[in-house]
Amino acid sequence: MPLTEEKRKALEKLEFREGLEGLTPARIITLFRRAPLLRAVDDPQRVWQMYENASLVLTVWYEGQLAGIARVLTDGVLHSYLCDLAVEPDVQRLGVGRALVEALLERCKGTELVLRDSDISSGFYERMGFRRVENAWMRAAK
Ligand SMILES: CC(C)(COP(=O)(O)OP(=O)(O)OC[C@H]1O[C@@H](n2cnc3c(N)ncnc32)[C@H](O)[C@@H]1OP(=O)(O)O)[C@@H](O)C(=O)NCCC(=O)NCCS
């Protein structure tokens, strides 16, 4: 897709941050709803805990607004789990998701990064060099 002048300018204004600076539960919930990323976000306190307890949180900002987010749980040695990657629709397909994943991969170097995808995002992970695995098991939360 050719980059419009408007989108190129938007891209130049993006600011990447590590950590919780500027984040609030409300901002996270709004981004999840807009992306859309289907998560149980009706309890702001639980949403905040998801980020406080993460090993690593990366965010992207556009003119003071939260435009992208990703977090990782990692032991720093073997295993890392990428959770809840979301990019604001106005800046999707501009390389923001790629930049977030590449930054996370860099910070989790040496570990295996796993994640759960969705029908709409599987093509993205394929483009990012992830491989679908058949040997994963999951037990739903009770
Ligand atoms: C999936 C998502 C994070 C991608 O972010 P993005 O900033 O739009 O992605 P990028 O622009 O960095 O794309 C990187 C590459 O993946 C491709 N891509 C992006 N989304 C894609 C999709 N849904 N299907 C196939 N390819 C996709 C891009 O074309 C680009 O390809 P290129 O390397 O050939 O240029 C974003 O669309 C999103 O937030 N979706 C809703 C929430 C979601 O599904 N999150 C994942 C949870 S599992």
Side-chain angles (χ1 to χ4, degrees), residues 36-37 85-87 92-95 97-98 116 120-121 123 127:
L37 184 65
L85 170 66
V87 174
Q92 282 180 11
R93 299 281 180 149
L94 287 179
R98 175 185 288 281
R116 289 173 64 187
I120 55 169
S121 62
R127 289 292 306 148

Side-chain angles (χ1 to χ4, degrees), residues 31-32 34-39 69 82-89 91-101 115-128:
L31 177 58
F32 279 16
R34 284 181 54 81
L37 184 65
L38 301 178
R39 294 288 182 270
I69 196 164
L82 167 60
C83 326
D84 308 331
L85 170 66
V87 174
E88 156 65 39
V91 294
Q92 282 180 11
R93 299 281 180 149
L94 287 179
V96 174
R98 175 185 288 281
L100 282 169
V101 170
L115 61 97
R116 289 173 64 187
D117 74 356
S118 64
D119 289 348
I120 55 169
S121 62
S122 57
F124 167 77
Y125 291 112
E126 199 172 1
R127 289 292 306 148
M128 296 302 303

Side-chain angles (χ1 to χ4, degrees), residues 61-126:
W61 299 81
Y62 177 73
E63 294 185 333
Q65 302 296 313
L66 182 63
I69 196 164
R71 66 192 176 104
V72 156
L73 312 178
T74 182
D75 60 21
V77 180
L78 278 182
H79 302 293
S80 300
Y81 177 47
L82 167 60
C83 326
D84 308 331
L85 170 66
V87 174
E88 156 65 39
D90 289 349
V91 294
Q92 282 180 11
R93 299 281 180 149
L94 287 179
V96 174
R98 175 185 288 281
L100 282 169
V101 170
E102 284 177 350
L104 290 174
L105 285 168
E106 182 57 32
R107 286 162 176 76
C108 300
K109 225 181 205 160
T111 68
E112 248 177 33
L113 188 60
V114 298
L115 61 97
R116 289 173 64 187
D117 74 356
S118 64
D119 289 348
I120 55 169
S121 62
S122 57
F124 167 77
Y125 291 112
E126 199 172 1

